[in-house]
Amino acid sequence: ARLAIAQAIDRAKLNQDANGGFPTVADGPFAPGVLGHLDAPGFPEHDLKAAKAGFAKLKAKGANTTIRLLSSDGPVAVRQAKIQKEMIEQAGFTVDLEVEPEATLISRVISGDYEMASFRNQPGDDPDMDHVWWYGKGNPVNFGRFDDPVINQNLDLGRTSSEPAVRRKAYEAINRQFAKQVWNVW
């Protein structure tokens, strides 16, 4: 489902329609110049045909293909969420858009009362600051609720090494793992 959703969202068109093309579309969590940034980490490209095929496989298995998309109530966030909803629905999914004030959105995400949420939350210059957001299962601010051994191991390595080359390699591995598992759609 994560892969089909990522393939359904045309991020360049979303950026153009929602933001006038102003921000740079990212393929991973780290901006250029930040340890771990990769120009091509392997994040899935927009491919509506593949998204529809992924949806069809889910449907054939009897999976629930209705998704609740949670968004904050800011005008930019709502505009982006509406466009995301339309794109995901083009792949076949049914998307129920739930719009909440930011504080309610955060409370719902911390409590796990959502299926998919749209907001931004990645801090800046050093990937070690993301440790709190991504490390392990049971972490209430790991909003994706993933417990990925590759990400956990490399977060630990990046945090404990003082060697820039070791840290860079660890954060690049995290970037690639995010692309492979599609934990987030950047």
Side-chain angles (χ1 to χ4, degrees), residues 1 4 51-66 91-93:
K52 287 180 177 182
F55 168 81
K57 286 180 186 176
L58 290 167
K59 192 73 170 172
K61 291 180 181 179
N64 181 357
T65 56
T66 298
F93 293 91

Side-chain angles (χ1 to χ4, degrees), residues 62 82 105:
K82 285 180 178 179
L105 176 139

Side-chain angles (χ1 to χ4, degrees), residues 131 134-137 142 146-157 174:
H131 191 280
W134 299 336
Y135 198 87
K137 192 173 182 178
N142 177 339
F146 57 84
D147 186 14
D148 189 306
V150 172
I151 291 175
N152 292 343
Q153 176 185 1
N154 283 288
L155 284 169
D156 286 340
L157 182 59
I174 290 169

Side-chain angles (χ1 to χ4, degrees), residues 87-135:
M87 290 177 174
I88 296 167
E89 285 178 337
Q90 287 176 0
F93 293 91
T94 300
V95 179
D96 295 330
L97 181 58
E98 300 176 349
V99 177
E100 299 278 11
E102 187 77 17
T104 303
L105 176 139
I106 293 168
S107 293
R108 285 187 58 189
V109 171
I110 287 172
S111 71
D113 180 21
Y114 75 102
E115 293 175 341
M116 191 164 78
S118 179
F119 62 99
R120 59 184 197 168
N121 192 42
Q122 302 320 131
D125 296 340
D126 192 311
D128 182 57
M129 296 181 344
D130 293 306
H131 191 280
V132 67
W133 303 112
W134 299 336
Y135 198 87

Side-chain angles (χ1 to χ4, degrees), residues 4 22-24 28 40 44-45 51 58 76 81 83 86-87 97 105-106 116 127 136 160 169 176-177 183:
F22 177 67
T24 301
E45 295 291 327
L58 290 167
V76 173
I83 295 167
E86 290 171 8
M87 290 177 174
L97 181 58
L105 176 139
I106 293 168
M116 191 164 78
T160 58
K169 185 176 175 183
R176 285 187 193 94
Q177 189 69 0
W183 293 121

Side-chain angles (χ1 to χ4, degrees), residues 27-29 36-43 172 175-177 179-180 186:
D27 285 335
H37 172 78
L38 295 168
D39 287 335
F43 190 81
E172 287 175 354
N175 197 342
R176 285 187 193 94
Q177 189 69 0
K180 179 180 174 184
W186 310 103

